[in-house]
Amino acid sequence: MTAAANIILTGFMGVGKSTVGAIVALMLKREFVDMDCLLEARASMTIAQIFAKQGEAAFRALERQLAFELAQRKTLVIATGGGTLIDDEVRAALGGSGKIFCLSADAAALHSRLTASGERPLAPNWQELYAARREVYASLPHQIETMGKTPEQLASEIIALDETALYVKTPAGGYPIVLGGGLLKQIPQDAERLGLTGHVIVVSNETVAPLYGEALVKSLPRADLITVPDGEKHKTLGTVRQLYDAMLAHGADRSSTLLALGGGVIGDMAGFAAATYMRGIRFVQAPTSLLAMVDASVGGKVGVDLPQGKNLIGAFKQPETVLLDTDTLKTLPETQWRCGMAEVIKHGLIAQPALLEPELWAPEQAARLLRQAIQVKIDVVEADPFEHGIRAHLNLGHTFGHAIEKVTQFAVPHGEAVAIGIVKAALLSRNLGMIDDALVSRIQRLLRHIGLPTDIQLDAERWYAAMATDKKWKAGVPRLVLLKGVGAATVIEGISKEEILAVL
Ligand SMILES: NC(=O)c1ccc[n+]([C@@H]2O[C@H](COP(=O)([O-])OP(=O)(O)OC[C@H]3O[C@@H](n4cnc5c(N)ncnc54)[C@H](O)[C@@H]3O)[C@@H](O)[C@H]2O)c1
Ligand SMILES: [Zn+2]
């Protein structure tokens, strides 16, 4: 499984590589390398001193060596020196390790910026250097125009253009989704950058805690583990109450961080505890199931069930970070992988046709699959953070599915129920003339290929009655997410009971 590639910022001296690079790294919680600073630190001299004592050729040799070293690493944000990428081989090596963004500004603006800042003595041959390097810079494919933009705006622009970077913008700011194999084991080295050096309460369940929780807690400087029983039936206020008690017993205060380690049940419930304990403490999601990775851990919805229904009590609580260790998927039971895939197919149908290509489902492709599936969720929650509109599209197949879960008293797992629900939504869409037969068959084929069911024998009246209790049906008027095509979902209200019964 591949970790995310580097993000490399280059451009002429004074264009803002270091400032913008540092912000990109901070937003993504990645390590930042400013090549010039690192070279100065390693040589214990300023660059001007290296030039004076050893000559430019010696400096370029050091710079080259560092560039090749960094090209071997991953997930860095690198600000190159002004002349680093003029060397063809260095450009190729760093370019092979990630995407190079070239920050640009016109000569006059750069010149006045550099003279105004007075930080650096301007090289006497500045104009010549600019002219000589301009062509190489202009040849780089990803140009970022800096004029009239703040460093923060530039950082956001770069993050949005880099497909290895996952970042969720929220009304109050945003948070990164850090994705990679072995991320949990890496935490001791990264604790500071990830904000995990203070008191951390790791909440997990009896299945996941022995696999990953115990080692994680040992590796953190100051952490306690709280383990709750496994299963949706424990996603209750009673368990949250136990969490509060255990947090108090561990001395958690407003400066503590709660880290949820597990599937969606843990994320939802621990997130609700983080949202409410002492009016809210810092929250980090570390999802370990496919469903939690592509769906539950992103978007800030947290909550618990009541005996009367699922997710009836909850809050919006945005995490500080989502830490997604793809290695944890190795222990995920097959059925849980399939259930997560039902949501991936849902994401594919509502917004990203690429997710419907079986080649992307191979375990070796997991990082790509996750990135694309998560991006769908990010786009939806950014557009509609508080679920007033298109976030409803994420409910494709869910009204049918939740009713199956209810009628069968949760004997059918959520993902399987959603798979059947997606087929029902597709059939209804076809009956209403919105999609053709071929698409319905394709959806059925894809779900079968994954090993998911496409139908179930249930009493249609009971099924319909259970659907009618859906939170989203206002005053009993049916409200369903249907398909207009691949990548195009829509909410339809007021479909007749007969039309719905016809597909059940
Ligand atoms: N907040 C949201 O936006 C949102 C969205 C979708 C679903 N959800 C919620 O998510 C929950 C479902 O999540 P889920 O499917 O992850 O269920 P889950 O949390 O029950 O996990 C499924 C099973 O897999 C086990 N497991 C998880 N990771 C494992 C690993 N790496 N190795 C071995 N076993 C592992 C769990 O212990 C559990 O037994 C539901 O409660 C649902 O309401 C929330
Ligand atoms: Zn779901």
Side-chain angles (χ1 to χ4, degrees), residues 205 207-208 211-212 230-232 235 262-266 268 288-289 291-292 295-296 298 301-302 310-311 328-329 331-333 336 377 391:
N205 70 25
T207 308
V208 179
L211 290 170
Y212 309 105
D230 190 356
E232 179 80 31
K235 196 175 117 177
V265 167
I266 288 295
D268 277 13
T288 61
S289 72
L291 182 137
D295 196 348
V298 181
K301 283 210 291 184
V302 295
K310 258 181 72 124
N311 299 326
T328 60
L329 291 172
T331 57
L332 187 71
Q336 295 302 334
K377 176 93 190 217
R391 194 158 174 166

Side-chain angles (χ1 to χ4, degrees), residues 367-382:
R368 264 184 70 206
L369 176 88
L370 288 169
R371 241 178 246 132
Q372 298 212 4
I374 292 167
Q375 194 60 53
V376 171
K377 176 93 190 217
I378 293 176
D379 292 344
V380 171
V381 301
E382 280 186 353

